[in-house]
Structures are given as structure tokens and as C-alpha cells.
Amino acid sequence: MVKKCLLMAGWVLVGWPLQGFSAPKTCGTETTPCEHPRRLGAVRSVQITQGAHPAYPTVPAQSCDRFVLRLSQATRYLQMAGQTTANAQHHVTDESACVVTGQVKLVNGQMGTWVIGEEREGRLVWPDGRVEYLYCSRCPSPPFTPM
């Protein structure tokens, strides 16, 4: 994560600044992970396959009634969310008790499965097993928990 943060701040790993940048910056906070730009590609369709449901067996299903993620909000999340690491997502963000799952299909034909949690964290799983860990500090609440 640190390497990515330094690269985003305009520093190469040996410490030489890239043109147009001057000093390293920090990213993320104690409660939000670093978010790195990502390009999803042109989206053909987004589908919700399961509305709000417990992320863990110990979460009562009724507690997820308050997390309502509309299709337009899921689409916007997938377009706005930054990429983070599994480690940052697990150790920095609160884990959502409730999640919504669905499918995304890109114009190039690539399909993936997404999971978006009420605490603004998510992941996108591609058929080859690759997982993109996501976080969206810019996504509004509601439907997400206020920061």
C-alpha cells in the first residue's frame, strides 16, 4: 500500500520526483484506505442479483432492511470507486454487516461479479479469479453509512 501511495504522489520508488510533482503526499486516513484511480471500461449493463443481505451468518437478515442500494447507485459506485488493497480494506475500513451483490458486463464482453457493502467497501471478481478491492469515499450517503 505504501508503494502505491508514493507512486500516486508522483514519486518513483528510488525517491526521484516525477516532473510536475514536488513532495510525497499521504493518502487515506485511520478509517479510510488509500483509493487509487482505476478504469472500469465502458459498461454495457449492471444487474443486482441479490438485494441487501447479511455479509455474515451471525447478522440478522432484518438488520439489512435499512441498506437500500438502487441499480443507479450501484452503477455509479462501480464508476466512482477507487481501487485499494485487500489488506487496507480489511484493516482500515469497518466491515459491512450488509452487502448487495450483482453482475457487471462491459462493452468489450468481459463480465464480473460485484459486492458492495454499506460501509462503502466493495470488490469486483473477474472470471479469471482476479479480485479488485474497492472503496468509495466520494459516494454519497445514503445509501452508505455516513463517514
Side-chain angles (χ1 to χ4, degrees):
M1 181 172 80
V2 173
K3 289 179 185 175
K4 288 184 180 180
C5 289
L6 290 174
L7 287 172
M8 289 302 298
W11 287 77
V12 292
L13 295 177
V14 294
W16 292 98
L18 298 174
Q19 185 175 358
F21 292 89
S22 57
K25 299 176 184 175
T26 58
C27 59
T29 67
E30 289 183 16
T31 58
T32 62
C34 292
E35 295 174 61
H36 305 287
R38 54 183 269 288
R39 189 156 184 86
L40 180 59
V43 174
R44 175 167 293 171
S45 64
V46 176
Q47 175 183 9
I48 293 176
T49 56
Q50 187 173 6
H53 61 280
Y56 306 99
T58 55
V59 176
Q62 310 86 286
S63 67
C64 294
D65 292 344
R66 69 188 184 285
F67 181 45
V68 179
L69 185 69
R70 295 189 308 267
L71 186 58
S72 61
Q73 293 166 321
T75 302
R76 186 166 168 88
Y77 177 95
L78 292 170
Q79 293 169 337
M80 292 178 61
Q83 192 164 352
T84 189
T85 64
N87 188 49
Q89 192 177 85
H90 180 72
H91 292 290
V92 178
T93 64
D94 291 331
E95 291 187 49
S96 294
C98 302
V99 296
V100 175
T101 57
Q103 299 281 321
V104 62
K105 184 173 185 177
L106 305 182
V107 171
N108 68 7
Q110 189 175 17
M111 294 183 68
T113 301
W114 54 263
V115 178
I116 299 172
E118 62 188 335
E119 297 290 339
R120 301 170 191 265
E121 87 289 0
R123 64 185 176 276
L124 194 50
V125 182
W126 298 105
D128 62 5
R130 190 171 39 97
V131 179
E132 290 182 45
Y133 293 91
L134 310 172
Y135 188 78
C136 190
S137 61
R138 299 177 301 147
C139 291
S141 61
F144 301 102
T145 303
M147 294 178 74

